[in-house]
Amino acid sequence: MRTMKLGCTHLEVPVVGIGCMRIDRLSQSEAERYIQTALELGANFFDHADIYGGGECEAKFAEAIHMNDDVRERIILQSKCGIRKGMYDFSKEHILEAVDGSLRRLRTDYLDVLLLHRPDALVEPEEVAEAFEILQTTGKVRYFGVSNHKPMQIELLRKYVHQPIVANQLQLSITNATMIAQGMNLNMGNEWAVDRDESVLDYCRIHDITIQPWSPFLYGFFEGVFLDNPKFPELNQKLDEIASRYGVSNVTIAIAWLLRHPAKMQPIIGTMNVDRLRASCQAADIQLTRQEWYEIYLAAGYQLP
């Protein structure tokens, strides 16, 4: 697996990360096979969150990988916190408690990366800074980032937090690419000119924050997979055409489209299907041409002004 630097750090991570939100749906043997396949492919970056399966996903992962000190040093663990039932919570107390819970379930002493999961309207950035400082000095977390955050929300955190924000996990796929489309539709009157993301793509590139696209095969907000979906005939025809050209699957091309962007993104795939896992990781070896990238973009329904 090809690797990249995560944000402004020296941490080498695979260009495709493994999302573990659905691992609790697998049997013990299925989970073991899935994780072992990922490791064999060089995909040793595993993304968690304390809310996934109510914590069961982290526990299932630790059991399936047979966590011990030797195993821990061969993998990179990222988890997220801040979502609670009926609210978001970035209080110092909750962040510290959430990390301790994740460490306990993952059977480890530290997280490589901790992300704040979704913006908390009641965030007090001074408390976040205190929590991050404690987590770093105690060795419980090495690097910090956010998820689903706009530029000004990150700026507010950066005013107080001493540690660099190294990642921003955002919903992004071929069919959910407004952050890309908006950049090409300045001063236009079409739907793609509506600014929903505050130039978050350019902001992250300027500040060396790695964008981690989540749900890279989905359209809408968990509405379904666009691959082989009759709702997207032109897109799938184009994906199949290019996939045939490279001798790979349409899954591979969907991930390669994200990797082709010069922002050096790290897609987080959430599939629990071993074949789709292999196909996703194969995208690390595919370099789409500029023309192919734009052909896919246009086939998804976007327009060039």
Side-chain angles (χ1 to χ4, degrees):
M1 170 72 70
R2 180 162 55 87
T3 63
M4 57 181 276
K5 292 282 195 294
L6 183 69
C8 60
T9 75
H10 296 293
L11 181 64
E12 288 283 344
V13 299
V15 295
V16 175
I18 308 301
C20 297
M21 186 174 73
R22 301 179 180 88
I23 200 169
D24 61 326
R25 302 177 187 178
L26 303 182
S27 67
Q28 175 71 9
S29 60
E30 289 172 335
E32 289 177 351
R33 178 175 177 243
Y34 182 85
I35 293 171
Q36 185 57 41
T37 300
L39 292 175
E40 290 171 356
L41 294 168
N44 66 337
F45 184 102
F46 297 96
D47 173 73
H48 294 270
D50 59 349
I51 65 161
Y52 291 167
E56 180 60 27
C57 291
E58 290 177 326
K60 171 63 81 61
F61 173 86
E63 182 181 3
I65 203 171
H66 305 286
M67 186 69 79
N68 58 40
D69 290 343
D70 290 337
V71 170
R72 181 64 185 92
E73 292 308 306
R74 293 190 290 113
I75 64 175
I76 302 167
L77 288 179
Q78 173 175 281
S79 196
K80 301 181 286 294
C81 72
I83 299 180
R84 303 179 68 179
K85 186 175 181 179
M87 64 177 176
Y88 301 139
D89 189 349
F90 285 175
S91 66
K92 172 184 173 181
E93 179 182 24
H94 179 68
I95 292 172
L96 296 178
E97 288 179 354
V99 169
D100 283 342
S102 289
L103 295 178
R104 183 176 61 254
R105 290 185 294 271
L106 289 167
R107 303 180 194 174
T108 182
D109 296 327
Y110 69 96
L111 295 174
D112 293 285
V113 189
L114 173 70
L115 305 184
L116 299 178
H117 207 157
R118 278 195 175 274
D120 175 14
L122 303 182
V123 62
E124 296 184 53
E126 300 94 333
E127 285 200 29
V128 174
E130 290 178 16
F132 282 9
E133 197 68 25
I134 292 171
L135 292 171
Q136 184 179 59
T137 56
T138 57
K140 292 182 179 180
V141 177
R142 295 184 172 178
Y143 302 103
F144 300 86
V146 295
S147 181
N148 307 297
H149 275 58
K150 291 184 176 183
M152 288 302 102
Q153 292 168 331
I154 298 175
E155 281 294 296
L156 178 61
L157 290 173
R158 288 179 51 174
K159 180 178 178 181
Y160 298 92
V161 172
H162 296 146
Q163 297 79 8
I165 302 299
V166 304
N168 190 6
Q169 197 168 117
L170 298 162
Q171 185 176 20
L172 177 61
S173 69
I174 296 171
T175 52
N176 285 2
T178 56
M179 71 176 71
I180 295 175
Q182 287 162 21
M184 292 187 285
N185 284 273
L186 179 68
N187 289 336
M188 302 302 295
N190 58 41
E191 61 179 304
W192 309 119
V194 178
D195 187 357
R196 297 179 174 88
D197 305 306
E198 297 179 4
S199 298
V200 68
L201 174 57
D202 294 326
Y203 174 87
C204 288
R205 294 182 71 180
I206 290 169
H207 293 283
D208 294 322
I209 298 172
T210 295
I211 291 177
Q212 296 178 331
W214 58 265
S215 292
F217 303 121
L218 295 188
Y219 69 94
F221 189 69
F222 292 103
E223 291 182 44
V225 176
F226 60 79
L227 294 172
D228 301 319
N229 189 323
K231 288 185 177 181
F232 304 94
E234 186 177 349
L235 173 59
N236 278 286
Q237 181 180 356
K238 179 56 65 175
L239 289 172
D240 290 344
E241 172 192 325
I242 296 175
S244 177
R245 189 178 304 157
Y246 285 91
V248 297
S249 75
N250 56 0
V251 170
T252 304
I253 299 303
I255 298 298
W257 188 82
L258 293 170
L259 293 178
R260 177 62 179 83
H261 196 282
K264 298 180 181 178
M265 303 178 192
Q266 183 196 32
I268 305 296
I269 61 168
T271 180
M272 291 291 107
N273 180 288
V274 172
D275 291 335
R276 186 164 283 187
L277 166 65
R278 290 195 182 97
S280 298
C281 291
Q282 195 174 1
D285 301 321
I286 301 294
Q287 175 77 0
L288 296 178
T289 67
R290 182 181 295 267
Q291 180 175 339
E292 289 168 339
W293 189 92
Y294 272 102
E295 286 177 354
I296 292 170
Y297 177 80
L298 294 173
Y302 300 103
Q303 298 176 356
L304 297 180

